[in-house]
Amino acid sequence: MNLQELLESLISLPSTVIAYYDDLYGYPWGRMKLAGMLCLGFAFWLAVLNLTLTSY
């Protein structure tokens, strides 16, 4: 696998994940579930970072 094929597969990865969730949960609910999971994941890691920085 050369560099161009790797970049093409990395670029198409987000649309593949979105299409998977659309197929699994239906059009509006799959995207809302995916957006919610991304927001919760971001909030979790932000809280972990905040707790580690303020514990010193």
Side-chain angles (χ1 to χ4, degrees), residues 11 16 32 35 39 41-42 49:
I11 288 172
T16 304
M32 284 191 273
C39 288
F42 179 73
L49 179 66

Side-chain angles (χ1 to χ4, degrees), residues 9-38:
S9 64
L10 285 176
I11 288 172
S12 68
L13 186 63
S15 63
T16 304
V17 171
I18 291 170
Y20 172 73
Y21 271 88
D22 281 348
D23 188 40
L24 196 61
Y25 296 107
Y27 164 64
W29 302 112
R31 294 188 186 197
M32 284 191 273
K33 185 174 179 68
L34 185 61
M37 286 182 4
L38 288 173

